[in-house]
Amino acid sequence: MRAKRPTSFDIAELAGVSQSTVSRALRHDSMVSEDTRLKVEQAARQLNYKVDVNARNLRSQRTNTLALLLYEDPGTSESLINPFFLSILGSVTRASAKRGYDLLISFQQSSADWNADYAASKRADGIIFLGYGDYTAYLDKISSLDEAGIEYITWGPVIPGQPGHFIGSDNVQGTAEAVSHLIATGHRDIAFLGDISENCPEYRDRHQGYLKALAACGLSADPVLRIDSQTSEEAGYAAAIRLLDSGHRFDAVVAACDLVAIGALHALRDRGVSVPGDVSVVGFDDIQAASYTNPPLTTVRQDTVAAGELLVENLLRLMNGRSLEQTIIPARLVLRGSTRRRE
Amino acid sequence: MRAKRPTSFDIAELAGVSQSTVSRALRHDSMVSEDTRLKVEQAARQLNYKVDVNARNLRSQRTNTLALLLYEDPGTSESLINPFFLSILGSVTRASAKRGYDLLISFQQSSADWNADYAASKRADGIIFLGYGDYTAYLDKISSLDEAGIEYITWGPVIPGQPGHFIGSDNVQGTAEAVSHLIATGHRDIAFLGDISENCPEYRDRHQGYLKALAACGLSADPVLRIDSQTSEEAGYAAAIRLLDSGHRFDAVVAACDLVAIGALHALRDRGVSVPGDVSVVGFDDIQAASYTNPPLTTVRQDTVAAGELLVENLLRLMNGRSLEQTIIPARLVLRGSTRRRE
DNA sequence: TTGTACGCGTTATCAG
DNA sequence: CTGATAACGCGTACAA
């Protein structure tokens, strides 16, 4: 037998004013005398009143809520989420809370999900896509959002002329920096592990950075040193094994992301190849585990705190009708034990 | 200039039926002829209609949403979240999506937050607390929830006679198993690193498991081998240093959680103590990084997938008015390289 | 500055 | 099985 939730009418009665006055007083912005405001607040406290957000949202046509949609690669194992995304998720949560927005989250298996049309069903005022999964599905999604006048922003590759608003790390520069460093420290046969198809534009950018750094030093990329790999430790392991089995010489491995790099690390060890003795290994992301591998992984760090802040900040800017500049977050090479100078 | 969102009236007109019929047809549960249902669905698709959840929630007085509140230790650094919690978070997200519930998340700095009264303001039908922060604040919180008739469930120590509904790992058994193993493999002077005050009942339980296992073998715990530590790598590092500086002999370290264990691992290495050569180290949680430390960390694994499933499952059970049995998830010792037999 | 009256888009109730 | 009608609780013109 629980008490009925108090409504604004209840507190209006208690405070001896009209319901509309209660509403105004509580929102703290409209014209209402200091005196009645205090009376209302007192009554509200007394009855432990909380506005019903559903009624408020229905009336005001906004929700004060952002949705964070995580699209996972189809290749990802069901149970595990790329820790890099979890890290951004944490940062986005903090950033939106700081600005007074609630955050709704959902992990979507790449296929479009009718249920989860967060904005269309007015669950959220804006959407943050963490990765966009299949590109064509993404295009569908955003065109329907555009029609509905819903704001959204996507974490991913920042490519000129892309539809939608993107924020992402400077994948080209990051990997280029890593590869330049490898070249400067005497490496010549540098392999690249990762999927560079249209499905993974970020990895494709990283590969471009790799090519660019090689070209800048007058080196050319040997295509046999480029091995496909999905985004998981197991896939990275398998890719490194394939590289080893190909029999081609290499003195460094650049992975599209840390999970792949860690898998490669294990494969090399299992095959008796010393890291960094025989081969240097570089990752991308700087997930927590990267500091703990043996040897610790040299990698390109993505700034997840900045990522969360910028995603939320810029989404709100869009929601306020303002325009967005291209935003690219610099990525920074972090040197650890998995790389060393070659003679 | 964006088109107006279609309402159920619009689709009623298009389908040539009444608005109430539309509502019924779309909800798929009430009595409505196959024939009109198809007409309605067709019209809905054509206009790209989505129900307005705010209107729906206001009318039906339920939100189909769960809230996940993460209370962080005050000691936690601002930017970093314990990866173990992120792991549960991922699992809860999946579990609630599977059951058709949206998930609202929020990280709260221990202090009570007026704004974030998720259930009271009808943002969510039920609440999952991930850790409960300060215990007295927790008691306040739940008593107000009880009054309001809102269901909630808490991840934490499962202690008989506790107010509220808890789900958690078997902390006593888990650590006891680890310590028994240490004893069976020849360890005698086993240190415990962690805060066992009222603030951390889970760590306190783990410490109980430690004492229990020692007692079962007729050993007594030397209080000088119990060192306080907050929940972070840095704190674990500092705690291990203090232990070393105390000059007391020890051949194993049991940490209250993996972060602390990893910190201890680093401290020992920095001081030239070999792990597992001189000292064995055991953690608790099995976060991803634990597999990658050097040496890999022996630890007690908490099953985060089961945790997420059980939290959601049992919360829904409560929401359906059913009762709950105590639920404790077994924790399992995972042997890795940071422990070894002593002669 | 305050009160009145109405509508936001559904779901629930009650007839037919 | 279907249609009319009344809420759900709040925000906001408009009038006082």
Side-chain angles (χ1 to χ4, degrees), chain A residues 67-202:
Chain A
L68 178 66
L69 269 38
L70 173 52
Y71 282 84
E72 306 180 76
D73 300 339
T76 308
S77 61
E78 285 293 320
S79 57
L80 231 57
I81 296 157
N82 189 333
F84 172 72
F85 283 126
L86 283 182
S87 174
I88 291 202
L89 186 158
S91 155
V92 166
T93 303
R94 280 235 169 62
S96 55
K98 196 158 85 184
R99 292 165 180 78
Y101 277 80
D102 282 334
L103 188 69
L104 214 39
I105 71 178
S106 167
F107 300 164
Q108 320 233 327
Q109 309 295 358
S110 51
S111 71
D113 186 344
W114 271 94
N115 269 11
D117 240 316
Y118 285 94
S121 52
K122 284 214 175 309
R123 262 177 276 240
D125 301 327
I127 295 186
I128 296 172
F129 291 106
L130 219 49
Y132 50 78
D134 182 54
Y135 194 67
T136 60
Y138 165 76
L139 289 179
D140 278 3
K141 189 73 92 181
I142 65 169
S143 76
S144 90
L145 290 179
D146 284 337
E147 266 176 45
I150 287 154
E151 302 299 348
Y152 60 92
I153 195 163
T154 308
W155 174 259
V158 182
I159 299 171
Q162 237 172 165
H165 303 284
F166 276 80
I167 288 184
S169 291
D170 196 333
N171 295 298
V172 176
Q173 162 260 322
T175 311
E177 196 172 306
V179 172
S180 299
H181 175 262
L182 287 174
I183 297 171
T185 52
H187 301 78
R188 283 300 170 268
D189 303 300
I190 305 175
F192 185 95
L193 266 46
D195 180 359
I196 60 168
S197 71
E198 285 90 13
N199 297 329
C200 304
E202 303 185 65

Side-chain angles (χ1 to χ4, degrees), chain A residues 307-323:
Chain A
E309 284 288 328
L310 285 171
L311 284 168
V312 173
E313 187 63 41
N314 283 297
L315 178 54
L316 294 184
R317 193 188 298 267
L318 282 174
M319 287 162 47
N320 287 330
R322 293 194 283 158
S323 69

Side-chain angles (χ1 to χ4, degrees), chain A residues 25 28 30-42:
Chain A
H28 222 82
S30 304
M31 327 128 288
V32 50
S33 75
E34 184 70 7
D35 194 43
T36 55
R37 191 171 59 73
L38 289 175
K39 265 197 315 204
V40 168
E41 282 172 351
Q42 152 70 18

Side-chain angles (χ1 to χ4, degrees), chain B residues 128-279:
Chain B
I128 296 171
F129 291 106
L130 219 49
Y132 50 78
D134 181 55
Y135 193 66
T136 60
Y138 165 76
L139 289 178
D140 277 4
K141 191 71 94 182
I142 64 170
S143 76
S144 89
L145 290 179
D146 283 338
E147 266 177 45
I150 287 154
E151 302 299 348
Y152 60 92
I153 195 164
T154 308
W155 174 260
V158 182
I159 299 172
Q162 241 172 161
H165 303 284
F166 277 81
I167 287 184
S169 291
D170 195 333
N171 294 298
V172 175
Q173 163 260 322
T175 310
E177 197 173 307
V179 172
S180 299
H181 175 262
L182 288 174
I183 297 171
T185 52
H187 300 78
R188 284 301 170 266
D189 303 300
I190 305 175
F192 185 95
L193 265 46
D195 180 0
I196 59 169
S197 71
E198 284 90 14
N199 297 330
C200 304
E202 303 183 67
Y203 293 171
R204 171 166 258 187
D205 274 0
R206 292 175 196 171
H207 187 245
Q208 289 301 319
Y210 160 86
L211 295 177
K212 186 173 147 190
L214 287 176
C217 298
L219 299 174
S220 66
D222 187 343
V224 300
L225 295 181
R226 223 276 305 153
I227 310 280
D228 263 325
S229 170
Q230 298 233 299
T231 303
S232 74
E233 199 181 322
E234 296 71 30
Y237 187 97
I241 293 293
R242 265 179 287 139
L243 177 61
L244 287 164
D245 287 347
S246 77
H248 297 287
R249 225 190 81 72
F250 61 95
D251 53 14
V253 171
V254 172
C257 70
D258 282 351
L259 287 178
V260 169
I262 289 173
L265 231 40
H266 288 172
L268 292 169
R269 188 178 54 202
D270 286 359
R271 286 297 184 90
V273 177
S274 160
V275 176
D278 303 321
V279 169

Side-chain angles (χ1 to χ4, degrees), chain A residues 255-267:
Chain A
C257 70
D258 282 350
L259 287 178
V260 169
I262 289 172
L265 231 40
H266 288 173

